[in-house]
Amino acid sequence: MTPQTPVAPPTLSAPPPTLSAPPPAAYAPGPDLYVPPPGLSVPSPDPSVPPAEPYLRPGAVLLRPSPLPPLPSAPVLPPGPRAARPQLWLVATEVHEDSAARYASLVLDAEELARAGEFRRPGDRATYLCAHVGLRRLLGAHLGVAPRGVTVERAPCPCCGEPHGRPVLPDGRLHFSLSHCEGMSLIAVATTPVGVDIERIPAPHLVAELAEVLHPAESAELAALARDRRPAAFARVWTRKEAYLKGTGVGLGADPSAEYVGSGPVPTAPPGWLLADVAVPSGHQAAVAVRR
């Protein structure tokens, strides 16, 4: 890619632009992989809730993120996040790749730029740049500062107390989480600790080995399914579990078999947390967890 001359980043006072990024692919659930127990009602997502400010409630099935428009457009923020209402944003690498590369030196800090340079695969580097440029844009818009002026620190680790826990803002006004896989990133902003995870659905031959680290009940649920239905069910379990663990600040340093989150369409949230799946393009699975 030929380097382009950087242009001034958009100002926060500019009028709200028209979203130019395409919406995420429509969610089309496949055959039921789980039959709820008798008497359990599975509610549908509330259509009156704006997609960027979904209400996480017990039993929520699916939340829809808003597509983040690429630079130089400014993100159009809904009302500030409230308790149990995380804002969710989807960043497609193919939509943001060119603008993120052009603006990265004006948006990211030195550590982030150095980290981007360590990726060997261009696609991984592009996704990292898109994710972190997008995160800084959203945090800057919420805080009323330039994206590069956002200060991010590490919270104390819940296990050892050392400063290598989840990324946080110094004043604790907002909480955020970022996850990315090849070609796609998901960002959450909330008023309480929050975690998100997005993953590609794994190949069938990998599921048996990966399922060994899950809660025994989750492993049993997967084993009871037809082989071709296990990858999607595993991806549901894993993204829910990792979103929750990221929200707690422990991440995968914790034992993933300790908490049960379930493989069916209705997540089982750990005590004190709300948990929901997130609608993302085909071939991916995502989830969000927010502390009550």
Side-chain angles (χ1 to χ4, degrees), residues 18-147:
T18 300
L19 297 184
S20 54
Y27 175 75
D32 287 341
L33 301 181
Y34 170 79
V35 178
L40 174 61
S41 173
V42 181
S44 299
D46 184 351
S48 67
V49 176
E53 194 186 6
Y55 180 71
L56 231 63
R57 61 196 183 282
V61 177
L62 191 70
L63 301 180
R64 295 183 181 274
S66 289
L68 182 67
L71 286 166
S73 298
V76 180
L77 300 181
R82 289 170 282 167
R85 288 180 180 261
Q87 293 179 1
L88 297 171
W89 300 86
L90 195 67
V91 182
T93 300
E94 64 179 359
V95 174
H96 289 255
E97 182 173 2
D98 290 342
S99 63
R102 186 184 316 140
Y103 284 86
S105 63
L106 302 175
V107 174
L108 303 182
D109 63 20
E111 182 178 347
E112 290 167 319
L113 291 171
R115 174 69 177 128
E118 295 174 358
F119 287 96
R120 295 185 177 182
R121 296 176 54 192
D124 293 340
R125 184 183 310 113
T127 296
Y128 176 90
L129 288 175
C130 293
H132 286 262
V133 167
L135 176 63
R136 281 188 169 272
R137 290 173 61 203
L138 289 168
L139 294 179
H142 275 289
L143 300 174
V145 301

Side-chain angles (χ1 to χ4, degrees), residues 183-206:
M184 199 69 57
S185 305
L186 183 64
I187 299 170
V189 179
T191 58
T192 59
V194 63
V196 291
D197 188 48
I198 183 170
E199 304 283 350
R200 282 191 175 275
I201 295 176
H205 70 275
L206 296 175

